[in-house]
Amino acid sequence: MVSEVWYLLRKDLLLELRRMHHLNGMLLFVLGTVFMCFLSFQPGLEPEKWNALFWIIQLFAAVHATGHSFSGEHPNRHIYYYSIASPGAILLSKTIYNFILLFITGMGSYGVFWLLLGSPVSNVPGFIVTIVIAALGFSSILTLVAAIAWRSEHHFSLMAILSFPVMYPFMIALIKTSLIWVGNGGAQSLPGLMLLLILISFLALALAFILFPYLWKE
Amino acid sequence: MENKLFVVITVIAVIFLGISILLISLDCKLTRIEKEQNKKSE
Amino acid sequence: MKNMWWKIAGLVLVLYSLIAGLLIRVPDLPVIHESIRNIFYHVCMWFNLLILLSISCINAVRYLAGFNEKFDLRSVEAASTGVFFGLLGLVTGSIWARFSWGVFWTNDPQLNGASASMLIYGAYFVLRKSVNDEEKRARISAVYNIFAYVMMIIFLLILPKLAQGSVHPGKGGNPMALTDLDATMRLVFYPAVVGWIFVGIWIYQIKLRIRIAKEINGL
């Protein structure tokens, strides 16, 4: 199982390193969106709005990035994977790959935000930890949704429709958590919120692990 | 004032009774259809 | 009519709560006043929503356990009946909000949770429409149903804890909670809840039986 995950993950990462199409696409997407915000919010942004905007753009980027998890490859190759690896390994490798991709995108978009819209973040290490947890949650929830959307015929339009409602609990807790590190900070208790985020992520991952085999088989 | 209240209650009760009768008749009709289908399949 | 007693009991209880709910004496509380009577109608819709969506999720699990088409039909009919009660709950809640707080919609955890669950099941029906193959549609939508149901429950559980204030009872300095309902109000409230649950499940069963009868006749 572990070796299967490792081989599949290495294959995805090598392909990505060679072509760089996902990562470059994501960074361009973020750059374009943030530049649009820079043009729209001319007198600058208050910390609360900066925070909300940052995570909403992250969500859009994540939906965009994970949407290609399964549909990016040729159907014949899926049959090949089906014959050599267990569905759980495929799901885990895709989730880890998305996690890495989303973490880099998150850091990149923080950089772009910092350049264009300023950075009201008062505690940078804390904010980076939040980016890591966000990448974990986004990847574990959205990989399964991507698989569902890929199985239905119109995957691109369905991805956003299916993923936004299931993202609400994670997003609302994420924005509250991140607000502690941004600006003056909220009054919420930090350990509880962090625990909640990690709990949602792992619950989603466990559910995905159980449910994915039903999507995978033809 | 009191009279108005009773008018409202009567209207609501009549609407609800209408819905009840609809539900009961649907249920009876379905029971009949299901019986016929069972006979056919045997 | 099969198993008549609980269906008739449901109808009688709902009728009783409709009439008694308007007639009994209610405590005069600040802000809500007489509109407190809406508790007999509005809250029941939410109980029904949760119960029917739970039935839907359980049947999705049972579908995946044996791929029996019967459970897929049950799952989708329960979801659509649940969404119907959810819409009724939104309407009754919205009217209530208009009369006691002056607005149709506020930023409130219960309202947000409700609208999120409506959106989730809206997505569920869109997903069902977009897959043509029957067996595949049943499988994919069962997976989404289970996943979305769990996320919805998390959302409903965590929202009130994360929110600063709520317009709903027992939170944010509001006058009363469901647990300290007036004794006479309990006499109407509990029968109303039970009655509506019976009626809700009955409507779901009728919808399901119509669907099955149509499938058999090839309509």
Side-chain angles (χ1 to χ4, degrees):
Chain A
M1 180 79 182
V2 177
S3 65
E4 277 178 15
V5 174
W6 170 239
Y7 277 111
L8 287 164
L9 180 63
R10 210 180 57 166
K11 180 251 340 169
D12 276 341
L13 287 176
L14 277 177
L15 269 177
E16 182 58 37
L17 273 179
R18 230 173 266 160
R19 292 194 285 174
M20 295 295 276
H21 62 309
H22 275 144
L23 202 56
N24 285 341
M26 284 334 299
L27 292 178
L28 261 178
F29 176 86
V30 169
L31 197 62
T33 325
V34 178
F35 190 61
M36 174 90 84
C37 294
F38 168 69
L39 293 175
S40 315
F41 294 97
Q42 261 315 331
L45 276 167
E46 295 111 76
E48 289 79 24
K49 288 181 184 156
W50 186 94
N51 184 47
L53 193 66
F54 180 82
W55 291 113
I56 289 171
I57 290 178
Q58 272 306 104
L59 174 66
F60 272 85
V63 168
H64 197 70
T66 50
H68 298 275
S69 307
F70 297 95
S71 50
E73 283 176 294
H74 196 272
N76 290 348
R77 219 190 270 171
H78 282 293
I79 298 169
Y80 174 58
Y81 297 149
Y82 185 73
S83 62
I84 57 165
S86 67
I90 289 166
L91 177 87
L92 280 183
S93 78
K94 287 286 181 198
T95 309
I96 296 169
Y97 172 73
N98 282 334
F99 171 73
I100 296 168
L101 188 68
L102 288 176
F103 174 64
I104 298 173
T105 317
M107 292 306 288
S109 86
Y110 178 42
V112 177
F113 259 75
W114 185 63
L115 272 177
L116 288 174
L117 293 167
S119 166
V121 177
S122 46
N123 185 335
V124 177
F127 192 71
I128 289 174
V129 171
T130 316
I131 292 180
V132 175
I133 295 180
L136 178 71
F138 283 160
S139 57
S140 53
I141 296 173
L142 292 175
T143 308
L144 182 74
V145 179
I148 294 174
W150 161 65
R151 269 306 188 202
S152 67
E153 280 94 36
H154 319 269
H155 43 254
F156 286 116
S157 55
L158 266 180
M159 186 64 199
I161 297 172
L162 295 179
S163 57
F164 285 176
V166 293
M167 286 304 296
Y168 291 149
F170 191 78
M171 277 302 279
I172 188 173
L174 182 65
I175 288 176
K176 291 254 172 197
T177 313
S178 148
L179 205 53
I180 297 170
W181 313 116
V182 177
N184 303 323
Q188 303 275 351
S189 70
L190 177 66
L193 278 171
M194 288 281 201
L195 197 70
L196 179 69
L197 286 175
I198 294 173
L199 212 72
I200 296 177
S201 310
F202 279 104
L203 185 68
L205 190 62
L207 267 177
F209 193 76
I210 298 167
L211 294 173
F212 184 71
Y214 295 105
L215 295 171
W216 184 236
K217 67 171 199 180
E218 200 50 79
Chain B
M1 198 53 215
E2 282 290 290
N3 286 336
K4 255 189 193 169
L5 182 62
F6 283 108
V7 171
V8 170
I9 290 176
T10 322
V11 170
I12 291 174
V14 166
I15 293 173
F16 184 73
L17 282 176
I19 295 173
S20 320
I21 291 166
L22 178 76
L23 282 174
I24 292 171
S25 70
L26 267 175
D27 200 319
C28 294
K29 212 187 273 178
L30 278 167
T31 315
R32 212 169 50 234
I33 292 172
E34 277 159 11
K35 259 183 203 158
E36 278 171 26
Q37 279 170 347
N38 278 342
K39 261 182 211 161
K40 256 186 226 168
S41 61
E42 278 158 16
Chain C
M1 222 159 56
K2 287 187 285 192
N3 301 321
M4 243 171 85
W5 68 268
W6 62 268
K7 294 167 183 173
I8 300 300
L11 289 180
V12 171
L13 286 174
V14 171
L15 188 63
Y16 158 72
S17 75
L18 283 176
I19 295 171
L22 290 173
L23 285 179
I24 57 158
R25 188 177 295 281
V26 291
D28 189 17
L29 293 166
V31 186
I32 39 181
H33 301 294
E34 288 286 316
S35 74
I36 195 175
R37 295 177 195 277
N38 198 357
I39 204 170
F40 306 129
Y41 317 120
H42 167 69
V43 179
C44 303
M45 299 298 126
W46 292 123
F47 278 114
N48 254 339
L49 169 81
L50 275 185
I51 285 179
L52 286 165
L53 293 184
S54 305
I55 292 177
S56 175
C57 177
I58 291 167
N59 280 306
V61 173
R62 286 166 82 188
Y63 175 77
L64 288 183
F67 300 110
N68 185 339
E69 195 208 0
K70 189 172 80 185
F71 296 121
D72 178 51
L73 282 181
R74 283 189 196 180
S75 178
V76 66
E77 289 303 332
S80 70
T81 319
V83 168
F84 169 69
F85 277 103
L87 291 177
L88 286 182
L90 280 183
V91 171
T92 49
S94 202
I95 294 170
W96 196 0
R98 178 72 185 81
F99 281 100
S100 36
W101 311 308
V103 285
F104 283 112
W105 198 268
T106 53
N107 186 14
D108 168 79
Q110 262 84 3
L111 265 180
N112 292 340
S115 26
S117 22
M118 293 294 105
L119 283 173
I120 284 180
Y121 285 87
Y124 172 74
F125 290 118
V126 171
L127 177 66
R128 288 190 71 91
K129 284 270 181 294
S130 69
V131 186
N132 289 325
D133 182 66
E134 261 173 46
E135 199 264 329
K136 197 166 146 193
R137 170 172 63 216
R139 202 148 39 90
I140 295 171
S141 60
V143 168
Y144 186 70
N145 192 333
I146 298 167
F147 194 63
Y149 178 80
V150 172
M151 288 293 150
M152 182 188 82
I153 294 293
I154 294 176
F155 194 55
L156 293 177
L157 288 179
I158 67 162
L159 260 178
K161 294 197 175 63
L162 287 178
Q164 266 81 26
S166 165
V167 288
H168 272 78
K171 291 165 209 127
N174 266 287
M176 58 167 291
L178 279 183
T179 41
D180 47 55
L181 267 182
D182 184 59
T184 37
M185 285 184 66
R186 278 179 209 217
L187 279 180
V188 180
F189 181 66
Y190 293 137
V193 170
V194 175
W196 276 110
I197 288 172
F198 283 171
V199 172
I201 292 176
W202 189 17
I203 293 176
Y204 148 63
Q205 284 193 348
I206 287 181
K207 274 170 70 80
L208 179 68
R209 285 161 67 191
I210 291 176
R211 181 78 175 263
I212 291 172
K214 275 185 182 171
E215 299 254 313
I216 292 175
N217 285 334
L219 282 172

